[in-house]
Structure formats: C-alpha cells, structure tokens
Amino acid sequence: MPAAEIFIQATETDPTVIARTAVREAHQRLRAGLAELTTTEPMADADQPSSAELIDFCRHELRQYLDVADRNLYAPAAGSSAGRLLVDALRVGRSALDRQIDDLAAAGTSDTARIGAMIAGALDLQFRIEESVLLPTLAELAGVEPSLAVASPQASVVEERGEAPAVIDVRQIARGGRHPRVFARYARLAPGEAFILVNSHDPQPLRREFEAIHSGAFSWDYLQTGPEEWRVRIGRVAVDD
C-alpha cells in the first residue's frame, strides 16, 4: 500500500483528527446560523430574519452547544494542571456569552442586531481558542481520548433524558488508561446524569477511588454482577436546591 494511502487511513481513524473535525463542523454550523440571522444586507421583507429568530437561535442552539462543550471538552481538560487555567479562561468567555444572550432576549428590536454582532464576535474568539489550544491540550492528557470528548448536542439531549446512558467498556481500554477514562467521563456528567461501566470483574478498586475523591457526590448501582461481566451504573448525584 502506498505511504500516502496509509497516511490517509491513519488520519481518518486518528482520535485527534476526528475530534478536531467534529468540533470545527459544529463551530461552522453555529457561525453560519448567526451570520444568517444577523445579516445587514438589504433583503425583501418576507426574507428578513426576525429578532425572535435570532433570540431563539442563541437561547437554544447556541446555549446547547456551550453546555455540551463545557461538559464534554472543558471538564476533562480542567482536571489537569496544564488545562486548568485555559478552562478557567474559556468559562469566563462562556459566562460573558451567557450574559450577552440574556441582554439580547431583553433588548428592544433596535438593539438585537448590535448585540447579535457582539455575540458573533465573542463566539468566534471562543471557537478559535477551542480549536487551536483546547483540543491539542486534550490530546496530550493521559486517559482522555479526544474523539470521546466530543458529542453531538442531539446525543447529549438523549443522554440527559435517560433514554440511552453512555456505556464505557473498560475491557477494550489498555490497563493504566481505564480509571482515567472513567473519571474523565464522570467529570462531564451533569447532576442527575449517569453512565454504565462494563468490566470483566467487580470494579471495587475503582469504587474505592470514587469514595476517596468524590465521596457523597456519586451513585454506584450494580446492574449485573458476573460471572463473566459486571455492569455498574455510575452517576453524579443531583444536588437539591
């Protein structure tokens, strides 16, 4: 097989390439959506985007992405010393975007285009940092596979509803990388969410680590107890208001 063909096949299955492609595609969809709704070009009245459409896009599609990015990208990176300051900066940017979206929803019609343009500019900076700094940082973290840190908003919505909890089969992960992968997945859970761990034995050593690190903040429910396969539902405990 020619070297070039081998390289193409390798990049198609490279987790870093998969993650970068998925994130950039999500970014491009949101950029295009904002651009269409904040256009300043003259258009026929029937085709002119409305303020309500822009507000709806920002409050739902844009915020949904920000939630998914925080849970699936920021949280795993925040667990390392190399990524902690970066994630702090990204979360400051995310908070600023949330405030701008609130301002947009409360603004009069005359201000929606101006605030929408501000949101587009702030979002572009956020996206550039995610692509150029955050993804390379995730790629270097032991136990975090970038392609698994990326999930579509639709998949996350399904998981939030409890229809299809994520499954991590650690039998398919090399020793030494199993516990970090599980803790990285736990870090991405929102309160009340869970995932299913599959193992070839009772994962009591992992449970002891959870007790030491996340005591009182996790749930551990056996779904199957051998003899050849163990399944455990691990969740983040919802905090009562």
Side-chain angles (χ1 to χ4, degrees), residues 3 37 52 60 136 181 189 227-228:
L37 293 170
H60 296 95
R181 175 75 62 77
L189 294 178
E228 296 181 355

Side-chain angles (χ1 to χ4, degrees), residues 69 187 204 237:
Q204 280 298 318
V237 174

Side-chain angles (χ1 to χ4, degrees), residues 61-127:
E61 293 189 45
L62 178 51
R63 270 198 168 136
Q64 186 180 62
Y65 171 81
L66 293 172
D67 288 342
V68 171
D70 192 287
R71 187 163 63 249
N72 292 6
L73 297 175
Y74 302 175
S80 72
S81 56
R84 193 169 299 118
L85 290 177
L86 169 62
V87 170
D88 286 346
L90 284 166
R91 283 176 169 161
V92 168
R94 185 257 165 86
S95 295
L97 280 163
D98 274 327
R99 289 193 298 271
Q100 289 176 326
I101 293 171
D102 288 338
D103 290 343
L104 178 69
T109 304
S110 60
D111 282 340
T112 53
R114 177 182 63 82
I115 298 174
M118 291 172 59
I119 290 173
L123 190 66
D124 185 68
L125 176 60
Q126 192 88 351
F127 286 171

Side-chain angles (χ1 to χ4, degrees), residues 16-32:
T16 302
V17 174
I18 294 170
R20 185 168 61 243
T21 299
V23 170
R24 285 178 173 170
E25 287 177 352
H27 289 175
Q28 186 55 38
R29 286 194 298 271
L30 289 169
R31 282 189 177 111

